[in-house]
Amino acid sequence: MVFKKMLQAFGVGGPSVDTVLTNSNCLPGGFLDGQVHVVGGDHAVDVEYVAIGLMTRVEVESGDNEYQTNQEFHRQRLTGSFRLEPGARHDVPFRFEVPWQTPITELYGQRLHGMTMGLATELEVARAVDKSDLDAVQVHPLPAQERILEALLRLGFRFHKADVERGRVYGVEQELPFYQEIEFHPPARYASGINQLELTFLPTPRKLQVVLELDKRGGLFTEGHDAFGSFDVDYATVDQVDWTAQLDNWLRQSASRRGLFL
């Protein structure tokens, strides 16, 4: 009997949890729908709660060191406490709100290199090891985000990688403790002044905030330095703007202000 209780404490013979998403594809500011299936094991347990949360991989700078960690950034508790009898099944339907500033993971049907996103399910069982489940989630860009990305591709920029960095972006509305950077290599006509372009999207329900950072090339006797720019995109009028021309103009003005000519 003592041995059996020890096994129960380590989760042996306990309940199982499985999350089934109706559709694993979503948009920032959208929803994920599905059900959590909880099935009882070989003994009755008191479930304290069932919760789900979005997780991503975040890069953290600490002093002179950098490391990556998994970070849950939005959580929803689906149930209170309930008794789960042996072999019983408890289904929990849910609609999970995806934060507006959730990093995107997909572009034109391809996963952005460097990005991971998952919906984690947690089953908290009294006096036992917690059960969990993790389901991959694909976050696609909003139409306004697509317009900016398309413009960069038309200008000849090539996608390199994407990551998520813990920290704050100055001068914008930011709701999460991190931000995504999507990195591009420049085409030949910009390469004389730019090493790379980093793009950050910070959507809100009212507008899309866009932040651009240029990693400038240093000359033989000068140091390279970064140039920042930001602008807002109105969802209602996004299709009325020539974003290719707008971005080209900003890049040239930014380079000119720093004594570079593209």
Side-chain angles (χ1 to χ4, degrees):
M1 181 61 71
V2 173
F3 181 67
K4 184 176 181 180
K5 288 183 177 179
M6 288 177 60
L7 291 177
Q8 292 177 7
F10 283 101
V12 178
S16 63
V17 58
D18 181 37
T19 299
V20 179
L21 291 168
T22 303
N23 188 340
S24 62
N25 297 279
C26 65
L27 297 175
F31 296 91
L32 288 166
D33 296 298
Q35 284 198 349
V36 178
H37 303 304
V38 183
V39 179
D42 58 15
H43 54 274
V45 295
D46 292 316
V47 176
E48 297 191 355
Y49 63 82
V50 177
I52 53 177
L54 269 180
M55 298 185 68
T56 192
R57 195 78 172 156
V58 176
E59 189 172 291
V60 182
E61 288 189 13
S62 179
D64 295 331
N65 299 316
E66 289 186 359
Y67 64 93
Q68 290 190 331
T69 183
N70 292 326
Q71 180 165 346
E72 182 182 86
F73 60 93
H74 187 56
R75 183 177 178 86
Q76 181 177 331
R77 187 174 287 207
L78 303 181
T79 73
S81 60
F82 61 92
R83 181 77 169 175
L84 186 65
E85 299 297 333
R89 176 166 168 156
H90 191 79
D91 293 335
V92 185
F94 65 83
R95 166 163 272 206
F96 182 84
E97 184 176 342
V98 178
W100 276 93
Q101 294 179 5
T102 298
I104 62 175
T105 66
E106 311 291 316
L107 184 59
Y108 304 123
Q110 299 293 320
R111 177 167 289 273
L112 291 181
H113 176 67
M115 291 305 304
T116 59
M117 188 71 61
L119 186 70
T121 305
E122 182 183 359
L123 177 70
E124 178 80 10
V125 179
R127 299 177 300 280
V129 174
D130 300 340
K131 298 290 183 177
S132 62
D133 187 28
L134 184 64
D135 295 88
V137 170
Q138 296 80 44
V139 186
H140 297 262
L142 295 164
Q145 292 172 311
E146 283 190 339
R147 300 297 175 272
I148 303 302
L149 291 165
E150 287 169 358
L152 286 174
L153 295 177
R154 287 196 193 99
L155 289 171
F157 284 87
R158 306 182 313 279
F159 171 74
H160 176 49
K161 65 175 183 177
D163 62 15
V164 178
E165 299 189 12
R166 185 177 293 174
R168 311 294 299 182
V169 179
Y170 177 75
V172 297
E173 299 175 39
Q174 184 176 343
E175 64 180 32
L176 299 175
F178 54 71
Y179 57 92
Q180 181 180 34
E181 284 190 339
I182 305 174
E183 185 178 313
F184 295 86
H185 288 315
R189 59 175 163 165
Y190 298 112
S192 62
I194 302 172
N195 272 331
Q196 64 189 30
L197 181 147
E198 292 177 346
L199 168 67
T200 294
F201 289 126
L202 292 163
T204 75
R206 303 172 308 283
K207 62 186 179 182
L208 171 64
Q209 302 170 114
V210 181
V211 180
L212 296 173
E213 177 182 353
L214 304 181
D215 178 16
K216 311 299 291 184
R217 286 188 185 277
L220 182 60
F221 301 108
T222 61
E223 285 189 21
H225 51 279
D226 296 338
F228 294 88
S230 64
F231 57 89
D232 295 338
V233 177
D234 178 49
Y235 296 128
T237 61
V238 63
D239 290 329
Q240 300 172 21
V241 177
D242 184 347
W243 291 108
T244 305
Q246 290 276 81
L247 289 174
D248 181 59
N249 184 55
W250 181 85
L251 290 168
R252 293 181 182 280
Q253 286 185 357
S254 176
S256 178
R257 285 194 299 267
R258 287 157 181 80
L260 300 168
F261 299 95
L262 302 178

